[in-house]
Amino acid sequence: VQLQASGGGLVQAGDSLRLSCAASGRTFGGTIMGWFRQAPGKEREFVAAITGSGARVWYADSVKGRFTISRDNAKNTVYLQMNILQPGDTAVYYCAANSLRPTMPSAYGNWGQGTQVTVSS
């Protein structure tokens, strides 16, 4: 699976952004997809994940109630809707695919190139 993330940008605190991750590969619909982020000087951290059917999702505590992960298997795309953005959300956001442990970055086999999200106060 090859992944292409997009949708990042520079926004103000309280604004919203929607990230997209387009995937290639015929097995997309059966693949757990995740979003992670990495801020300068920090380790990559889990943000959200979703099962192949979309029936189950996981979120980091820091984004619960503000971020929503979803997917459209017909379009081979997973989304991350980010609302009420805060300066602490500033990071490079990565999408990832193929994992049996949705919240663990080391368990993912495929990664996109990342998209920068910057939130000003």
Side-chain angles (χ1 to χ4, degrees), residues 1 24-32 71 76 98:
V1 178
S24 62
R26 286 177 284 182
T27 61
F28 176 80
T31 302
I32 288 177
R71 67 191 295 159
N76 278 12
N98 290 323

Short mmCIF file of all heavy atoms in Angstrom, two decimals, residues 1 24-32 71 76 98:
data_model
loop_
_atom_site.label_atom_id
_atom_site.label_comp_id
_atom_site.label_asym_id
_atom_site.label_seq_id
_atom_site.Cartn_x
_atom_site.Cartn_y
_atom_site.Cartn_z
N VAL A 1 0.85 -1.20 0.00
CA VAL A 1 0.00 0.00 0.00
C VAL A 1 0.88 1.24 0.00
O VAL A 1 1.76 1.37 0.84
CB VAL A 1 -0.92 0.03 1.24
CG1 VAL A 1 -1.75 1.30 1.24
CG2 VAL A 1 -1.84 -1.18 1.26
N SER A 24 -3.12 3.50 -2.43
CA SER A 24 -3.20 2.61 -3.58
C SER A 24 -3.19 1.18 -3.08
O SER A 24 -2.74 0.91 -1.97
CB SER A 24 -2.02 2.85 -4.51
OG SER A 24 -0.81 2.56 -3.84
N GLY A 25 -3.68 0.27 -3.87
CA GLY A 25 -3.64 -1.12 -3.45
C GLY A 25 -5.04 -1.70 -3.30
O GLY A 25 -5.92 -1.06 -2.76
N ARG A 26 -5.19 -2.92 -3.74
CA ARG A 26 -6.51 -3.54 -3.74
C ARG A 26 -6.96 -4.01 -2.38
O ARG A 26 -8.10 -4.39 -2.19
CB ARG A 26 -6.52 -4.70 -4.73
CG ARG A 26 -6.53 -4.26 -6.17
CD ARG A 26 -6.45 -5.44 -7.11
NE ARG A 26 -5.10 -5.98 -7.18
CZ ARG A 26 -4.75 -6.99 -7.96
NH1 ARG A 26 -5.66 -7.60 -8.70
NH2 ARG A 26 -3.50 -7.43 -7.99
N THR A 27 -6.06 -4.01 -1.39
CA THR A 27 -6.42 -4.50 -0.06
C THR A 27 -6.80 -3.39 0.90
O THR A 27 -6.91 -3.61 2.09
CB THR A 27 -5.25 -5.29 0.54
OG1 THR A 27 -4.11 -4.43 0.66
CG2 THR A 27 -4.91 -6.49 -0.32
N PHE A 28 -7.01 -2.17 0.39
CA PHE A 28 -7.25 -1.03 1.27
C PHE A 28 -8.42 -1.27 2.19
O PHE A 28 -8.38 -0.97 3.37
CB PHE A 28 -7.50 0.23 0.43
CG PHE A 28 -7.85 1.42 1.26
CD1 PHE A 28 -6.87 2.15 1.91
CD2 PHE A 28 -9.17 1.83 1.41
CE1 PHE A 28 -7.19 3.26 2.68
CE2 PHE A 28 -9.51 2.93 2.17
CZ PHE A 28 -8.51 3.64 2.81
N GLY A 29 -9.51 -1.81 1.66
CA GLY A 29 -10.73 -1.98 2.44
C GLY A 29 -10.57 -2.89 3.64
O GLY A 29 -11.37 -2.84 4.56
N GLY A 30 -9.58 -3.72 3.65
CA GLY A 30 -9.37 -4.64 4.77
C GLY A 30 -8.26 -4.22 5.69
O GLY A 30 -7.83 -5.00 6.56
N THR A 31 -7.80 -3.00 5.55
CA THR A 31 -6.60 -2.56 6.25
C THR A 31 -6.90 -1.55 7.35
O THR A 31 -7.59 -0.56 7.10
CB THR A 31 -5.63 -1.90 5.25
OG1 THR A 31 -5.32 -2.84 4.22
CG2 THR A 31 -4.35 -1.46 5.92
N ILE A 32 -6.37 -1.80 8.53
CA ILE A 32 -6.44 -0.78 9.57
C ILE A 32 -5.59 0.41 9.15
O ILE A 32 -4.45 0.25 8.71
CB ILE A 32 -5.96 -1.34 10.92
CG1 ILE A 32 -7.01 -2.30 11.49
CG2 ILE A 32 -5.68 -0.22 11.91
CD1 ILE A 32 -6.59 -2.97 12.78
N ARG A 71 -13.30 6.91 6.83
CA ARG A 71 -12.72 6.39 5.60
C ARG A 71 -13.81 6.17 4.57
O ARG A 71 -14.97 5.96 4.90
CB ARG A 71 -11.96 5.10 5.88
CG ARG A 71 -12.82 3.93 6.31
CD ARG A 71 -11.94 2.79 6.81
NE ARG A 71 -11.09 2.22 5.77
CZ ARG A 71 -9.98 1.52 6.01
NH1 ARG A 71 -9.61 1.28 7.26
NH2 ARG A 71 -9.26 1.03 5.01
N ASN A 76 -10.66 4.75 -1.61
CA ASN A 76 -9.35 4.39 -1.04
C ASN A 76 -8.75 5.54 -0.25
O ASN A 76 -7.55 5.85 -0.39
CB ASN A 76 -8.38 3.94 -2.13
CG ASN A 76 -8.59 2.50 -2.53
OD1 ASN A 76 -9.58 1.88 -2.18
ND2 ASN A 76 -7.65 1.96 -3.29
N ASN A 98 -1.75 -0.95 7.61
CA ASN A 98 -1.34 -2.33 7.90
C ASN A 98 -0.79 -2.51 9.30
O ASN A 98 0.42 -2.49 9.54
CB ASN A 98 -0.30 -2.82 6.89
CG ASN A 98 -0.92 -3.03 5.53
OD1 ASN A 98 -2.05 -3.46 5.41
ND2 ASN A 98 -0.16 -2.71 4.49
#
